[in-house]
Amino acid sequence: MRSIIQQFTHDPSVIAYRLDIIDDFIDHPELLSHVEKSNTIIDEMRFATGKSHSHDSGLLQTVSRLRELTIYVDFIAQMQRAFAGQESLKSAGLRRLRDRILRIFDSADYKNLAIQLPKLQHGLDSIASVTIGINLDAQLNPVQATLVSINDRRFTGESLFGKLFAGGNEYQGISELYKDPDVIESIVHNTEKIQVSIAAEEEASLRRVLFRDLKKLLKNVLKPVYPIIDQYLHIRCKWILGLEAEFAFYIGAVKFIQRMRGLGLPMCRPAILPMGQKEGRLYDNYNVNLALRMSYKIDEGSLNDRIVSNDVCFDEEGRIFILTGPNSGGKTTYAQAIGLTQVLMQCGLYVPCSRAEISPVDALHVYFNVEEQAALETGRLGVESKRIGEIFGAATSNSMVLLNEAFSSTSPGESFYLMKDIVSALKLLGVRAVVATHLHELAESIDRINEEVEGSSKLISMVAGMKEATDHGGTLSNRSYKVRPCRPQGKSFAMDIARQYGISFNQLAETIRERKAGSLAIYDK
């Protein structure tokens, strides 16, 4: 998953290929259910395949290969049931997989294997234990041994007293069960896992010979199985193992869509515009990260009335957003929402919108400010400068850049000077960008920058808005988290912050009057 997301594609055909598969799984939920079951089978096959290709004994390889072929038959049968009657699939990927599965299912090799395997497996399952007879000399030392029987049931250990007086069955021993000394078990000692042999060396040397000969014996017993397995050496399962990550990706994608829709939030298939068009139109776009965090805080119900969505439009009228607004007004959430939507689209996934038309980008370059680290000689300003320099060293006109409160640690004058140069360079480069900033002077300079700097990416002022509400007869500015094209509103935001913290002139004057009144009351007493 991480690899796909970090290396998202900008090839429209790959994006459409994945979206078609997701559409098919959404339109055919029973197919998705079968694929989920198939992925469990693939997981079992991965273990069996590793054993059959190991350097262990031929006996183990034979048993593992038999198990691998059994899982192979189960997988093909499961997928055949999944694709039965699925003639209306539109995705090239699922149609190609369906055709391959049905070809295998109808082949003579598969039909013969499906008939022979149960018989072979039954024979293998019938070997659960062996009975060995041991002759003793006059001193009760073992001198001879012979195989008495091969059993389809396992032995269990028991004490001699329990065997004689508590009854039992023929598969119950009269001593503890001894184990193969070659087997190493892991134990935990003082919270550290260590490996120890399960048998003393003296006992191990005697029993090792016995177990070695038993393995030879069982290998001979399985000789009739070898030629049958050899008939199917050409059957390879590696291509099936490769489906596990693919299936997991699409299963997760569909469940993600279902989860968001279950919360009352839209998810849609995006329309893919040419990269060179450098446009994006998102309708009712929201931040999926925020939605997921909020979903864990509610037991049930919809988030539709709690998550604020915004329409976003990158086109000739504006490709670089200079985003201003109050603290905690939704600027970071808005920028994140746009970036996440772009990543999801370029992974071939549905996006958090009611409708979307998006041009791919060749890369997404992001800088969200960081706290200064004392260990860094350059300090926070140096870290920010280095990172933004790296962005301009890699970004192209087909990239997207997200900058969030860059250079907020320096003085307003220095910050404005630096950011003015950066947004001018973004325009010259021709990228799509969102620049969230506290610098209202930067937003006020947009017209001049658009006139003076060449480039196809026009700057536009975007404002995280406010809404007016009445509280006990007074007017209180509240954050609406709605973002819209608008001239910067620096003074109104400063007034909002002042009122929020009770430091507007009227509030401070009221505080002073209350304190004076309180002091006079105490004096009168």
Side-chain angles (χ1 to χ4, degrees), residues 358-458:
I358 311 173
S359 294
V361 296
D362 59 8
L364 177 64
H365 300 284
V366 179
Y367 176 77
F368 280 59
N369 61 10
V370 295
E371 294 299 325
E372 183 174 351
Q373 300 179 36
L376 296 173
E377 295 180 2
T378 56
R380 177 168 164 181
L381 180 59
V383 172
E384 291 179 322
S385 300
K386 182 174 182 293
R387 173 61 186 137
I388 290 176
E390 291 171 347
I391 289 174
F392 277 97
T396 74
S397 62
N398 289 319
S399 299
M400 175 179 281
V401 176
L402 304 178
L403 301 179
N404 186 66
E405 298 289 1
F407 301 118
S408 59
S409 62
T410 188
S411 68
E414 292 176 333
S415 181
F416 170 70
Y417 172 80
L418 292 167
M419 288 304 300
K420 183 174 180 292
D421 280 357
I422 287 169
V423 298
S424 297
L426 290 173
K427 184 179 189 302
L428 183 65
L429 185 58
V431 298
R432 272 174 280 167
V434 178
V435 180
T437 180
H438 61 290
L439 299 170
H440 300 281
E441 298 89 345
L442 180 64
E444 291 169 351
S445 303
I446 282 177
D447 291 340
R448 187 166 65 254
I449 295 173
N450 281 331
E451 291 175 2
E452 296 175 354
V453 181
E454 297 179 358
S456 59
S457 291
K458 184 179 177 181

Side-chain angles (χ1 to χ4, degrees), residues 87-374:
E87 302 298 330
S88 60
L89 297 176
K90 68 177 184 179
S91 63
L94 285 177
R95 288 202 309 268
R96 190 156 55 241
L97 178 60
R98 176 196 63 196
D99 295 345
R100 183 173 188 174
I101 292 294
L102 296 182
R103 271 198 313 271
I104 294 173
F105 187 80
D106 293 333
S107 68
D109 271 350
Y110 178 82
K111 292 184 181 299
N112 291 334
L113 186 59
I115 292 172
Q116 290 179 314
L117 272 178
K119 299 176 183 177
L120 296 176
Q121 192 64 47
H122 176 74
L124 189 65
D125 293 342
S126 67
I127 305 175
S129 65
V130 296
T131 303
I132 298 175
I134 299 177
N135 292 327
L136 307 176
D137 63 12
Q139 286 74 39
L140 302 181
N141 295 315
V143 292
Q144 294 175 315
T146 185
L147 175 67
V148 176
S149 64
I150 297 177
N151 313 306
D152 60 1
R153 294 172 61 186
R154 300 180 68 83
F155 282 101
T156 59
E158 182 59 272
S159 67
L160 176 59
F161 182 86
K163 176 72 173 180
L164 295 176
F165 295 100
N169 57 58
E170 59 179 319
Y171 292 100
Q172 196 168 46
I174 58 174
S175 70
E176 66 173 303
L177 278 172
Y178 292 98
K179 297 182 180 179
D180 185 343
D182 291 329
V183 176
I184 300 297
E185 289 187 346
S186 294
I187 64 171
V188 176
H189 180 66
N190 294 333
T191 72
E192 293 185 4
K193 182 177 287 189
I194 58 175
Q195 291 186 329
V196 296
S197 174
I198 60 174
E201 185 57 35
E202 311 86 63
E203 297 175 348
S205 61
L206 295 173
R207 295 205 306 274
R208 189 170 287 112
V209 176
L210 176 60
F211 278 97
R212 182 195 62 197
D213 291 343
L214 280 175
K215 287 177 181 178
K216 290 181 181 178
L217 172 65
L218 293 174
K219 193 173 181 179
N220 289 331
V221 171
L222 286 175
K223 272 187 177 180
V225 175
Y226 299 150
I228 298 176
I229 291 181
D230 288 344
Q231 294 177 27
Y232 302 101
L233 285 176
H234 62 283
I235 292 179
R236 293 288 177 260
C237 301
K238 188 175 181 179
W239 69 274
I240 295 177
L241 298 178
L243 290 173
E244 186 175 25
E246 303 264 355
F247 283 172
F249 174 77
Y250 291 109
I251 292 168
V254 175
K255 288 186 177 295
F256 180 62
I257 294 167
Q258 293 170 341
R259 179 169 175 77
M260 291 295 101
R261 288 177 172 175
L263 293 169
L265 300 172
M267 292 289 288
C268 76
R269 173 178 176 143
I272 307 166
L273 303 177
M275 177 183 283
Q277 198 168 320
K278 296 192 289 188
E279 295 185 357
R281 285 177 284 276
L282 316 178
Y283 300 91
D284 301 311
N285 180 233
Y286 62 93
N287 188 316
V288 290
N289 186 35
L290 175 64
L292 285 171
R293 291 203 313 268
M294 291 186 66
S295 71
Y296 296 117
K297 298 178 181 179
I298 62 172
D299 295 330
E300 58 183 15
S302 173
L303 286 178
N304 189 43
D305 58 344
R306 305 187 189 189
I307 295 290
V308 176
S309 62
N310 283 286
D311 292 345
V312 179
C313 182
F314 292 102
D315 58 17
E316 292 182 354
E317 296 301 315
R319 288 195 175 95
I320 299 177
F321 297 171
I322 307 302
L323 177 59
T324 56
N327 293 334
S328 302
K331 298 191 297 296
T332 300
T333 300
Y334 177 82
Q336 278 184 352
I338 293 173
L340 289 169
T341 300
Q342 191 73 34
V343 170
L344 289 173
M345 186 277 287
Q346 295 196 220
C347 288
L349 300 171
Y350 276 31
V351 296
C353 305
S354 61
R355 185 162 60 93
E357 302 167 345
I358 311 173
S359 294
V361 296
D362 59 8
L364 177 64
H365 300 284
V366 179
Y367 176 77
F368 280 59
N369 61 10
V370 295
E371 294 299 325
E372 183 174 351
Q373 300 179 36

